Amino acid sequence: MGILQDRIYAHSPIRLQNWLVSLYGIKLYRERYGQYYEQELERLRRAPNEASPDAKLNHLNQFLQFCNQHNVYYQRLFKKHGVTLPLKSLEDFKRIPPLEKETLRTDETIFSNLHAPIIGMTGGTTGKSIQVRFTEYDYQMRMAHLDFFKEQHGFRRGMKRASFTGRMICPGNQKNAVYWRYNAPMKQMLYSVVHSNPTTIPYYIDSLNEFQPAALDGSPSDMIEIAKYLKTHQKTLSFRPVALFPTSETLTPSGRLLLEEMFQAPVYDQYASSEGAPIVTECECGKMHLRPEMGIIETDAFGEALVTSFTTHGTPLIRYRIGDRMTLSEAMCPCGRQDTIIESIDGRQMNYVETPEGYKVFEGDLTAAVGVLPNSIIQIQVLQHKIDEIEMLYVKDEARFEPEHEVALQKEVERLFTSRMKVLLRDVKSIKKEKNGKVRVVKRLYT
């Protein structure tokens, strides 16, 4: 939403806010569900375990041929490194150098010369602001695979779902204890992660009991906070979902057990990214699978993932250094699928800022704040000096950054907190790395 739309939304009664959320839901519905979605979902239902030995190379060559025809960046890259298509083997694929985040952020020739109207924005785990473009085909293919994954575990489109989101769906100064909004076209109740804390969690539980969702998805950290409250106060829910589908953060074994215990439902994890990384989903045997038509994931000598996604025609990702660490497995899964197995995904962190009210704002929500800017922030770090004060360091792109960008960033970060949190922004030339060579995006410095 633009600034004017935000103002209208923030000052509207809750009934009208629900209507505006549903209106936006209609837009998303039209983008996600169309002919490509229906065709792919039906194909997956017919052949859920199909994965021929040559499938990965065939899909890769199709995608590389597309890039060579429609993308200036890859035309230059293939020519420079002597990449001849089609590739004869996956070993030849390694001749293509990795795509770095800084290139994705700054080189506009990375956008393909075709209609790609859907914009994805992310701050990523490293805090770089990145905007990417998707075609309708890309978006609908991804949705078909996500919905098929959920179907395998008992949830079908059209059933009610509760989604825990870091988006500002409730104004920060809201007086009513209604921390959720309804997206009617998708039968989706959106729950605000920002407003969830020990004082407000009972309202969330009452709402969930009234809504009776068939599944929960989104931020696992917030679901875990609700599960902790239920267990500590010896409360139970009046409904039993078919499954929980957490996203975006690393789910610990203890967190999974707590969710399954208190929600009385199995948890099935998934991995993707706003940039368009290939979708990885958990099967009934607890293994994370990557289908060959989704893409390829490699790891370097340090376990850092290089992802190639076949659903990124608008902004192709080929051997993209996404910033996560993964462990791949050669083992066969008892479920019978022949896909690549991701043994572990180690990059998604549950680092957070504590607030005076007792709730947590997690790293993913803080880094997502830079997504409102046009790729003008190179990196951020959030330092929490006191329980009621944070400092966001940011490294700006001198060629792209405008004075009003700091105002917009300040506003976006402040939206994650109440007025009790003091938010300071500081322009720095660089951000100091930890001993392991990585930048720690969130650091709590007080004791």
Side-chain angles (χ1 to χ4, degrees):
M1 293 183 179
I3 293 176
L4 178 60
Q5 291 170 306
D6 275 344
R7 287 176 180 169
I8 293 172
Y9 182 89
H11 292 90
S12 298
I14 291 175
R15 184 188 297 270
L16 181 54
Q17 288 178 356
N18 282 322
W19 184 83
L20 291 170
V21 166
S22 295
L23 192 64
Y24 185 67
I26 292 173
K27 174 183 178 293
L28 293 179
Y29 192 94
R30 289 172 176 169
E31 290 175 344
R32 293 177 179 180
Y33 307 116
Q35 61 173 330
Y36 304 121
Y37 170 89
E38 297 295 347
Q39 291 169 2
E40 183 66 4
L41 187 58
E42 184 57 34
R43 187 191 69 80
L44 290 168
R45 288 168 176 166
R46 289 197 311 269
N49 296 319
E50 185 178 58
S52 68
D54 297 327
K56 190 183 296 185
L57 182 60
N58 291 339
H59 287 295
L60 174 61
N61 274 320
Q62 289 176 21
F63 189 64
L64 295 180
Q65 293 279 18
F66 165 85
C67 293
N68 199 39
Q69 293 173 14
H70 296 279
N71 192 281
V72 173
Y73 174 83
Y74 285 108
Q75 287 170 358
R76 292 199 311 259
L77 192 72
F78 294 165
K79 184 176 181 179
K80 179 179 179 180
H81 293 274
V83 176
T84 302
L85 301 177
L87 300 180
K88 303 299 182 186
S89 70
L90 290 173
E91 192 63 29
D92 294 338
F93 184 43
K94 296 180 181 178
R95 296 177 61 186
I96 302 173
L99 172 64
E100 305 294 341
K101 283 186 179 287
E102 186 66 2
T103 302
L104 183 61
R105 189 183 70 82
T106 59
D107 193 336
E108 294 191 359
T109 65
I110 197 73
F111 300 131
S112 299
N113 59 356
L114 79 170
H115 186 57
I118 300 167
I119 306 299
M121 296 182 292
T122 180
T125 56
T126 61
K128 291 180 182 289
S129 60
I130 294 171
Q131 294 183 359
V132 294
R133 302 172 186 173
F134 296 98
T135 64
E136 289 183 353
Y137 171 87
D138 294 330
Y139 207 39
Q140 291 182 25
M141 289 286 285
R142 295 177 70 80
M143 288 309 305
H145 279 259
L146 282 173
D147 283 359
F148 179 71
F149 154 63
K150 293 179 180 180
E151 272 191 15
Q152 299 298 99
H153 302 302
F155 180 83
R156 285 182 171 263
R157 182 162 63 99
M159 299 170 73
K160 292 195 295 185
R161 62 190 252 246
S163 299
F164 291 84
T165 177
R167 299 191 68 175
M168 188 56 64
I169 58 170
C170 306
N173 59 353
Q174 177 179 296
K175 298 293 191 293
N176 296 333
V178 182
Y179 307 110
W180 46 89
R181 299 294 183 268
Y182 188 52
N183 174 12
M186 298 183 186
K187 295 185 179 179
Q188 176 191 34
M189 191 70 78
L190 294 157
Y191 288 89
S192 171
V193 171
V194 175
H195 293 79
S196 175
N197 60 65
T199 303
T200 63
I201 281 177
Y203 298 109
Y204 284 69
I205 294 171
D206 289 343
S207 173
L208 286 167
N209 282 331
E210 181 180 356
F211 184 55
Q212 301 273 303
L216 287 79
D217 58 50
S219 166
S221 51
D222 204 52
M223 296 184 213
I224 289 170
E225 292 299 316
I226 290 174
K228 284 180 182 177
Y229 186 95
L230 290 168
K231 189 164 188 174
T232 301
H233 294 83
Q234 298 182 331
K235 293 182 176 294
T236 58
L237 297 167
S238 65
F239 67 99
R240 187 172 180 175
V242 297
L244 279 67
F245 302 107
T247 61
S248 303
E249 299 166 355
T250 299
L251 183 63
T252 63
S254 60
R256 179 189 290 262
L257 287 174
L258 181 62
L259 289 175
E260 293 186 334
E261 176 189 356
M262 301 314 299
F263 285 94
Q264 289 292 288
V267 172
Y268 297 104
D269 205 358
Q270 58 189 290
Y271 173 86
S273 74
S274 298
E275 299 106 301
I279 294 168
V280 179
T281 56
E282 185 176 350
C283 73
E284 64 273 19
C285 298
K287 297 294 185 181
M288 298 289 283
H289 291 259
L290 169 63
R291 295 185 64 97
E293 64 268 42
M294 276 282 95
I296 295 173
I297 294 179
E298 314 160 73
T299 54
D300 64 16
F302 304 99
E304 190 168 359
L306 302 177
V307 304
T308 299
S309 176
F310 302 149
T311 56
T312 56
H313 291 82
T315 310
L317 301 183
I318 299 177
R319 308 196 76 215
Y320 173 52
R321 198 182 301 279
I322 197 166
D324 288 337
R325 294 171 59 83
M326 298 186 187
T327 302
L328 308 185
S329 173
E330 299 292 333
M332 294 295 294
C333 183
C335 76
R337 287 170 55 176
Q338 305 293 312
D339 330 285
T340 300
I341 295 177
I342 313 298
E343 190 64 37
S344 66
I345 302 170
D346 310 311
R348 295 178 292 176
Q349 300 298 322
M350 294 182 74
N351 294 328
Y352 56 85
V353 166
E354 294 178 301
T355 72
E357 295 81 10
Y359 66 84
K360 302 177 179 69
V361 176
F362 290 87
E363 176 180 310
D365 298 319
L366 290 161
T367 59
V370 302
V372 300
L373 304 181
N375 297 358
S376 59
I377 295 290
I378 297 173
Q379 202 166 40
I380 67 163
Q381 183 178 56
V382 177
L383 308 177
Q384 184 168 21
H385 300 287
K386 306 174 185 176
I387 190 65
D388 60 353
E389 180 182 310
I390 64 168
E391 182 180 32
M392 176 176 279
L393 312 181
Y394 68 91
V395 180
K396 66 185 179 185
D397 184 324
E398 296 289 349
R400 295 168 179 259
F401 194 85
E402 301 291 341
E404 60 265 26
H405 290 177
E406 180 170 298
V407 177
L409 181 59
Q410 176 93 26
K411 181 179 178 181
E412 193 68 15
V413 176
E414 287 178 345
R415 282 161 59 114
L416 298 172
F417 303 92
T418 70
S419 58
R420 293 179 63 187
M421 179 67 79
K422 185 177 182 181
V423 177
L424 308 173
L425 264 63
R426 181 154 62 95
D427 174 13
V428 297
K429 294 298 182 183
S430 64
I431 293 174
K432 186 178 179 181
K433 293 183 178 180
E434 302 295 315
K435 291 182 179 179
N436 63 3
K438 301 284 186 179
V439 169
R440 189 173 165 189
V441 178
V442 177
K443 296 179 73 172
R444 296 197 301 279
L445 303 176
Y446 67 95
T447 56

